[in-house]
Amino acid sequence: MNENIDKEGIKEQIVTIAMNVFSKFGFKKTTLDDIAESLGKGKSSIYYYFKSKEEIYKEVIKKEADLLRNEIYEKVINRDIDPREKLRDYVLIRMRFLRELVNFNEALRNDYLKNFAFVDKIRERYDKEEHEVIEGILREGRDKDIFVVDETNFAAMAFVTAMKGFEIPLFIKQELSVEDLEEQLDAMLHILFYGLVKK
């Protein structure tokens, strides 16, 4: 039993160190030697726990995805707040956290990682969960008579698409600061909540 606990503890240590190494060099440029050096161990000791760099990366991505999921549930979904505030908080927390989760971000965006089946599965799961979260917030707002939306599935799809539009300047071009993001987000939410047409 203790041996299993120790083994899991060492695996977790390898994943945590690897998370920083992958963040620094990216998946392509990182080698097992880089990870072993950061751990202060030989490469052969890593092979005892993981078969390949890809296997370690998979665990890193899963860990970062869990960190994001936990943050969103703790700070948005599980809070009893106005659905308008929930939508705003969801987007801000998601954007801020994604900016910090370099490896998860790389897995979501870089085409060369599409060759790995586990990356596709993680992307699919993330997209599905995101759609469900947004639709849940929209449904809650409709049920509380705050949002006038009949088709929450379509509205969630439109919202997610608009939200992903912010990712290009925020992550790829690094042009948009988090403060600018908040300002643009408020403008987008104003249109979403109040529409474009004068009443």
Side-chain angles (χ1 to χ4, degrees):
M1 173 120 177
N2 283 345
E3 189 178 319
N4 282 344
I5 292 170
D6 289 346
K7 187 174 181 181
E8 286 308 308
I10 293 169
K11 280 182 87 168
E12 181 62 28
Q13 182 187 18
I14 292 169
V15 169
T16 302
I17 294 291
M19 192 160 54
N20 295 325
V21 177
F22 283 125
S23 293
K24 189 175 176 183
F25 300 117
F27 174 77
K28 263 186 173 176
K29 292 182 181 175
T30 298
T31 65
L32 280 175
D33 287 322
D34 295 327
I35 297 168
E37 188 180 319
S38 292
L39 272 166
K41 296 182 185 238
K43 189 163 68 170
S44 59
S45 62
I46 292 176
Y47 278 120
Y48 178 77
Y49 299 97
F50 295 98
K51 294 175 188 166
S52 64
K53 175 176 92 167
E54 289 77 12
E55 195 174 292
I56 298 171
Y57 190 69
K58 178 181 178 180
E59 292 305 313
V60 165
I61 298 306
K62 282 166 65 178
K63 180 175 180 155
E64 289 192 359
D66 287 343
L67 287 170
L68 177 60
R69 188 178 299 110
N70 293 342
E71 187 80 357
I72 284 167
Y73 272 84
E74 181 185 324
K75 294 192 175 166
V76 180
I77 307 305
N78 294 335
R79 288 178 60 213
D80 186 24
I81 55 175
D82 185 296
R84 287 169 288 204
E85 201 178 328
K86 267 191 185 180
L87 267 181
R88 185 178 192 279
D89 288 353
Y90 173 81
V91 178
L92 283 176
I93 287 167
R94 173 194 183 275
M95 294 295 192
R96 282 184 182 144
F97 225 66
L98 273 178
R99 204 175 209 175
E100 293 168 23
L101 301 175
V102 176
N103 302 300
F104 186 62
N105 221 335
E106 183 183 33
L108 290 178
R109 278 152 197 70
N110 287 339
D111 286 341
Y112 69 83
L113 290 169
K114 284 183 179 177
N115 298 330
F116 300 114
F118 73 85
V119 171
D120 270 344
K121 284 182 184 170
I122 288 169
R123 285 177 180 178
E124 284 170 22
R125 182 178 172 192
Y126 174 73
D127 287 345
K128 184 175 183 249
E129 284 179 358
E130 181 159 71
H131 183 91
E132 287 171 357
V133 165
I134 296 296
E135 187 173 9
I137 295 170
L138 293 174
R139 204 178 298 119
E140 179 188 347
R142 182 191 62 196
D143 294 347
K144 289 182 175 177
D145 214 23
I146 294 168
F147 299 150
V148 181
V149 58
D150 295 324
E151 187 53 59
T152 55
N153 182 43
F154 179 76
M157 191 174 21
F159 189 88
V160 168
T161 302
M163 192 171 52
K164 286 183 188 287
F166 283 118
E167 293 174 2
I168 295 168
L170 186 66
F171 299 122
I172 298 170
K173 297 180 182 174
Q174 297 289 318
E175 292 171 355
L176 197 62
S177 70
V178 174
E179 292 74 26
D180 292 337
L181 169 70
E182 284 192 50
E183 201 174 295
Q184 290 191 19
L185 172 64
D186 286 335
M188 182 184 84
L189 291 175
H190 183 82
I191 292 167
L192 179 74
F193 295 149
Y194 305 110
L196 295 168
V197 179
K198 280 189 175 180
K199 305 280 190 249

